[in-house]
Amino acid sequence: MDADLTGKKILLCVSGSISAYKAADLASHLGKTGAVLHVVMTHAATGFIAPATFRALTRNPVLTDVFDEPISDRIAHIDLAQSADLVIVAPASADLLAKMAHGIADDIVTTCLLAVPQKTPLLVAPAMNTVMWEHPATTANLVTLKARGVEVIEPGSGLLACQDVGIGKLADVGEIVEAITKCLCVPQDFEGIGILITAGATREPLDPVRFLSNRSSGKMGFALAESAARRGAKVLVIAGFTTAVPPPGVTLVRAETAEKMKSLCLSWRRKFDVFIGAAAVSDYAPAEISEQKIKKRGDTENEITLRLVKTPDVLAAIAAQKQEGQFVVGFAAETENLLSNAQDKLRSKGLDMIVANDVTAEGAGFDTDTNIVTFLFPQDEPQSEPQFKSQPLPKMSKKEVADEILNAIRSRIHHDL
Ligand code: CTP
């Protein structure tokens, strides 16, 4: 049965691919969900399927040119992009992906896409020949788009229109409708809940040009922030250095060092219901910060000794000052003895939950898009054996891990909606 998307405004962008005819099926399915559908087409798409088909299916004008202005006092591409609850590009040709990645706006579809606000979910369902799909240019464009938060509905494999067999078929219409439904029907189960998240890597300066840091990208912390915000939470992220793009709809404050991160987190400690320490915080910082760049010594001195001092543990400091009803979650990044090390951190830092991950496992850890984690919780009865409950999860995208973490938190916090 089709989902109920009554009143949701969806903008369907159709580009030039033989599978453009399947976009008509998609429009028909979306129409049955009660969604209000508008369609824009590239010139190439009109070579595969006529605008009249979409006009009949949607009962709305179909735009194929940037100068098509059905309502005289409104600029069509701005209006369509900004009023949509969700934008889907299906099929997305290699050319269209390239234009999106580079911000080109030279027709009605690309001008609409450039005018889509950051907070609006944007999905692309690519379809093309296998060689085009596997071309490094297409791969790079998809990396760029994913980093910006665009959701890619991966193409399937099989016999393609060009008679090649391989990957590149437009995903099944049912799969596309499901992805759209998932985006539009997000439960607001964190409404009214404040979440403070630390993310990224701290940097501890040595001199004006050097610092001690680590390989964290901030992807996990940002994925948590994005999911929590979409589920209705009020989210504050205190982030060190990150390479990931900050998510829309959250407040972001930068903290370079562990000390700064701690003081910011403590200053906000009364304002949150849930704290998630996803940052990779330096455990040590240089004992002295040189005011001038440290110079290379003469030929006879081949060694230099750095004296390091312990930094504050942000997570432990927050957990130590936890108030009634607050829920504190940490991460354990381990390279060995995953569960016993994570259990020690859960206990010693006084946490309500810890997310353990072996950062050496393939598909887990720093700067990947996936993670393999196990959740640990203290037993309700302190004397119980084992002293913690564990919940291992399979390899998932960081977005999926974020949702699982939030599900686990939601089932444990007492906050009535
Ligand atoms: N953490 C923190 N402040 C620190 C160190 C860690 O807030 N100075 C937090 C991290 O954000 C994470 C958890 O503590 O949620 C565990 O971090 P991890 O690096 O795995 O462990 P450490 O406590 O630093 O211990 P070790 O380096 O010995 O594994």
Side-chain angles (χ1 to χ4, degrees), residues 362-414:
E362 208 188 312
F366 299 125
D367 215 15
T368 58
D369 287 322
T370 55
N371 213 349
I372 308 166
V373 302
T374 299
F375 300 160
L376 299 184
F377 310 92
Q379 288 281 19
D380 301 329
E381 295 297 326
Q383 313 308 336
S384 311
E385 276 300 328
Q387 288 163 348
F388 62 94
K389 285 181 269 190
S390 76
Q391 182 187 337
L393 268 64
K395 180 159 124 184
M396 295 177 175
S397 72
K398 284 188 174 167
K399 280 186 178 190
E400 288 166 327
V401 172
D403 265 319
E404 291 294 340
I405 293 172
L406 293 172
N407 292 344
I409 294 171
R410 191 66 195 87
S411 66
R412 284 171 172 81
I413 55 174
H414 307 288

Side-chain angles (χ1 to χ4, degrees), residues 3 30 45 85-86 89 115 129 133 151 172 193 213 219 249-250 363 392 414:
L30 290 173
D85 295 307
L86 178 143
V89 187
N129 165 272
W133 171 251
E151 187 176 328
D172 287 343
I193 297 177
S213 192
K219 281 183 184 167
V250 310
H414 307 288

Side-chain angles (χ1 to χ4, degrees), residues 32-199:
K32 287 181 197 150
T33 65
V36 179
L37 193 60
H38 286 270
V39 176
V40 291
M41 303 173 71
T42 63
H43 179 67
T46 62
F48 292 100
I49 183 164
T53 307
F54 292 106
R55 196 158 51 237
L57 287 167
T58 64
R59 312 213 180 282
N60 276 319
V62 174
L63 308 194
T64 59
D65 190 284
V66 82
F67 294 107
D68 285 349
E69 300 281 355
I71 307 173
S72 60
D73 61 344
R74 307 257 277 271
I75 299 170
H77 64 277
I78 303 291
D79 204 27
L80 285 173
Q82 297 191 348
S83 62
D85 295 307
L86 178 143
V87 178
I88 167 81
V89 187
S93 65
D95 175 57
L96 192 73
L97 293 173
K99 284 182 174 171
M100 285 175 78
H102 292 89
I104 292 171
D106 63 354
D107 64 9
I108 183 64
V109 170
T110 49
T111 43
C112 276
L113 289 169
L114 204 61
V116 174
Q118 255 234 311
K119 63 172 179 28
T120 308
L122 175 53
L123 284 65
V124 295
M128 64 197 74
N129 165 272
T130 308
V131 178
M132 295 168 90
W133 171 251
E134 289 173 349
H135 195 285
T138 305
T139 307
N141 292 331
L142 285 165
V143 169
T144 303
L145 293 173
K146 282 182 188 171
R148 276 188 215 145
V150 174
E151 187 176 328
V152 179
I153 307 169
E154 299 285 325
S157 316
L159 178 65
L160 306 178
C162 53
Q163 298 305 305
D164 280 359
V165 176
I167 190 157
K169 275 163 82 85
L170 183 72
D172 287 343
V173 166
E175 202 185 319
I176 300 174
V177 174
E178 197 184 312
I180 291 172
T181 308
K182 225 167 126 188
C183 269
L184 286 174
C185 301
V186 180
Q188 294 299 292
D189 54 350
F190 275 83
E191 190 141 17
I193 297 177
I195 306 196
L196 176 54
I197 299 173
T198 65

Side-chain angles (χ1 to χ4, degrees), residues 198 277-279 281-283 311-315 330-334 345 349:
T198 65
V281 187
S282 295
D283 290 331
T311 56
D313 191 307
V314 182
L315 179 64
F331 275 75
E334 305 296 339
K345 286 177 191 170
K349 300 194 191 202

Side-chain angles (χ1 to χ4, degrees), residues 11 17 45 54 84 92 115 136 158 213 224 226 252-253 336 342 376:
L11 177 61
S17 151
F54 292 106
S213 192
L224 277 160
E226 185 171 359
L252 177 70
V253 178
E336 58 181 350
L376 299 184

